[in-house]
Amino acid sequence: MAKNKLNKNWLHDHINDPYVKLAQKEGYRARAAYKLKEIDEDEKLIRPGQIIVDLGSTPGSWSQYARNKLSGQSGGGINGMIIGLDMLPMEPIADVHFILGDFREEQPMGELERLLAGRKVDLVLSDMAPNLSGIATADAARIEHIIDLALEFTEKNMKPSGSLLVKCFNGTGYNEILHKFRQTFKTVSSKKPKASRDKSSEIFLLGKVLKNIQ
């Protein structure tokens, strides 16, 4: 009974959410686009000519937003490159390369290397989140694991001057993740965009310029 009530409350909030309505109006696949938009407008992350990788890109709203920023118009190609990676299929987005698979595995990484053709990435985006169980310690470990993967990917594939933006949660394990970011990047900041629901502990970490260059 309580679960049904919870679902109804969520559905009511979702249907009446201004960002959901805006996403439908502006053609974004998810309200998450506005989280990236706000952070980007504040930090000037996405610029023409960049190579951007969107980890866990499905359904694609972050890739859509990045594409719009690199094109400035609908159709006619983009100035730069966007590569989305996800284990779930994603409906095609014009000018976005999509790789289906786990980026820890050889085949997707081979495809990524072919697309990059020796170049390094300017910006890594990750809106990935694990399925949360509600058990704080287990969830913290899952979140940290996903962010570790994003950090590892970034250190291997990003330009030293690049940036990484990841979704995180402010709770158990957050300080450890923050510490890892500070060890990896010269500048670290946390972001709570307005489009991130007040009830949610969701927060975004932004790391700029790698510290330890191989």
Side-chain angles (χ1 to χ4, degrees):
M1 193 74 176
K3 195 176 177 187
N4 282 349
K5 192 178 178 200
L6 201 67
N7 287 345
K8 275 182 184 166
N9 288 347
W10 180 88
L11 196 60
H12 177 269
D13 289 350
H14 185 74
I15 288 165
N16 292 290
D17 185 314
Y19 291 103
V20 171
K21 289 176 177 172
L22 198 57
Q24 288 165 346
K25 185 183 164 191
E26 296 187 343
Y28 284 113
R29 295 176 182 180
R31 67 193 296 289
Y34 298 101
K35 299 172 192 177
L36 178 58
K37 182 176 190 277
E38 191 180 325
I39 295 167
D40 176 50
E41 285 172 354
D42 189 34
E43 293 286 339
K44 310 288 183 283
L45 288 177
I46 300 170
R47 297 183 298 277
Q50 285 179 327
I51 298 174
I52 299 169
V53 170
D54 183 4
L55 298 175
S57 56
T58 304
S61 65
W62 277 25
S63 287
Q64 282 180 303
Y65 174 78
R67 186 217 170 268
N68 290 345
K69 279 297 298 277
L70 294 188
S71 72
Q73 75 268 342
S74 54
I78 58 170
N79 179 5
M81 177 183 266
I82 302 164
I83 303 164
L85 289 118
D86 206 303
M87 293 194 287
L88 297 171
M90 184 174 88
E91 286 290 318
I93 297 167
D95 308 310
V96 174
H97 302 272
F98 177 67
I99 300 169
L100 179 65
D102 186 332
F103 63 83
R104 291 169 294 182
E105 291 174 1
E106 211 175 294
Q107 188 268 327
M109 285 311 290
E111 213 173 317
L112 178 73
E113 281 168 24
R114 184 182 59 76
L115 285 169
L116 292 175
R119 295 167 299 174
K120 292 282 188 181
V121 176
D122 295 281
L123 175 63
V124 178
L125 302 171
S126 170
D127 194 29
M128 294 189 293
N131 292 323
L132 299 177
S133 64
I135 302 162
T137 49
D139 288 344
R142 287 175 188 171
I143 291 159
E144 190 170 352
H145 176 61
I146 277 184
I147 289 171
D148 283 346
L149 294 175
L151 283 166
E152 195 181 314
F153 176 91
T154 298
E155 287 183 287
K156 280 183 191 164
N157 297 287
M158 194 179 79
K159 284 178 187 171
S161 60
S163 302
L164 167 66
L165 178 69
V166 301
K167 172 150 70 183
C168 190
F169 293 89
N170 196 350
T172 310
Y174 174 71
N175 288 337
E176 285 84 345
I177 293 165
L178 192 58
H179 178 65
K180 285 179 185 177
F181 256 69
R182 286 178 175 151
Q183 284 181 313
T184 309
F185 297 101
K186 289 187 178 172
T187 310
V188 176
S189 54
S190 61
K191 304 281 174 187
K192 177 76 173 174
K194 292 186 190 77
S196 192
R197 289 189 171 105
D198 293 339
K199 295 174 199 168
S200 170
S201 64
E202 174 184 81
I203 195 164
F204 292 86
L205 278 179
L206 175 63
K208 290 181 172 182
V209 187
L210 289 169
K211 270 186 178 176
N212 307 313
I213 311 308
Q214 299 300 319

